[in-house]
């Protein structure tokens, strides 16, 4: 069994952001349909419960495999195990899209580094130089009183 079994915790700690869920509900409904606050709260509770159910099942699958980190495969297996097979394809597509976006973001970061026109060693030397200059400015601003306070004085006792 896992450490978390739905024990006491603040609702806000283990909940989706209320405003986000309300916004999603509003976007999904036709313009001529209004959703009561109680209904939105019920949907929020259902969403939270669904996520906890999937997370708990994913965690159990993960533990059976003696893994310490829940992976996408564990979530997909949990969907199968809980009878949500019809969502697996859509979840897999969303996961694949997420991975593509992560790859693009990593590419942008490395491209940004390449655009600087300096090697990694040159960047490191430049960073060390900037740190040294900042250290010197800080030390030059210290007054003699501050310098003596920052170094421990000998007590003179034997």
């Amino acid at each position: 069994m896992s450490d978390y079994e739905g024990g006491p915790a603040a609702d806000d700690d283990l909940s989706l952001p209320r405003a986000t869920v309300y916004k999603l509900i509003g976007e999904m409904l036709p313009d001529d349909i209004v959703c009561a606050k109680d209904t939105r709260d019920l949907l929020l509770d259902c969403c939270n419960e669904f996520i906890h159910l999937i997370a708990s099942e994913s965690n159990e699958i993960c533990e059976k495999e003696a893994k310490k980190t829940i992976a996408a495969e564990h979530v997909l297996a949990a969907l199968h195990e809980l009878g949500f097979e019809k969502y697996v394809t859509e979840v897999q597509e969303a996961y694949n899209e997420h991975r593509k976006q992560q790859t693009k973001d990593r590419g942008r970061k490395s491209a940004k580094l390449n655009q600087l026109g300096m090697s990694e060693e040159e960047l490191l030397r430049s960073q060390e130089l900037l740190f040294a200059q900042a250290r010197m400015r800080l030390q030059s601003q210290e007054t003699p009183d501050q310098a003596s306070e920052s170094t421990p004085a000998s007590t003179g006792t034997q």
Side-chain angles (χ1 to χ4, degrees), residues 16-156:
L16 293 168
R18 184 177 304 272
T20 303
V21 175
Y22 284 6
K23 182 179 177 190
L24 286 171
I25 292 168
E27 289 174 358
M28 298 298 290
L29 291 175
D31 292 335
D32 60 333
I33 302 292
V34 178
C35 188
K37 185 182 182 314
D38 290 347
T39 306
R40 289 189 308 236
D41 288 341
L42 178 62
L43 283 169
L44 176 66
D45 290 342
C46 290
C47 291
N48 288 327
E49 191 61 35
F50 177 75
I51 290 172
H52 290 159
L53 177 69
I54 298 296
S56 295
E57 186 65 28
S58 299
N59 188 44
E60 286 183 25
I61 292 168
C62 182
E63 287 177 349
K64 285 178 190 173
E65 294 179 6
K67 303 282 184 176
K68 292 188 177 191
T69 303
I70 297 173
E73 302 80 48
H74 300 129
V75 175
L76 294 169
L79 288 169
H80 274 292
E81 195 73 27
L82 294 168
F84 295 107
E85 294 89 5
K86 70 180 190 177
Y87 298 107
V88 171
T89 304
E90 193 173 341
V91 169
Q92 184 68 53
E93 288 172 3
Y95 176 64
N96 291 340
E97 185 63 33
H98 170 72
R99 299 277 300 199
K100 284 180 192 173
Q101 187 61 42
Q102 277 188 320
T103 304
K104 284 181 186 177
D105 290 347
R106 275 192 218 116
R108 286 185 196 135
K109 288 177 185 173
S110 65
K112 192 174 187 180
L113 240 171
N114 293 337
Q115 290 174 356
L116 291 174
M118 297 172 76
S119 70
E120 194 170 335
E121 294 81 21
E122 291 172 321
L123 287 169
L124 185 58
R125 271 187 261 127
S126 175
Q127 182 184 34
E128 288 171 355
L129 178 65
L130 289 170
F131 282 141
Q133 290 171 348
R135 222 177 285 113
M136 287 173 44
R137 278 196 305 268
L138 181 67
Q139 289 172 350
S140 68
Q141 291 175 355
E142 279 188 358
T143 63
D145 293 342
Q146 290 174 328
S148 65
E149 289 174 8
S150 63
T151 57
S154 60
T155 57

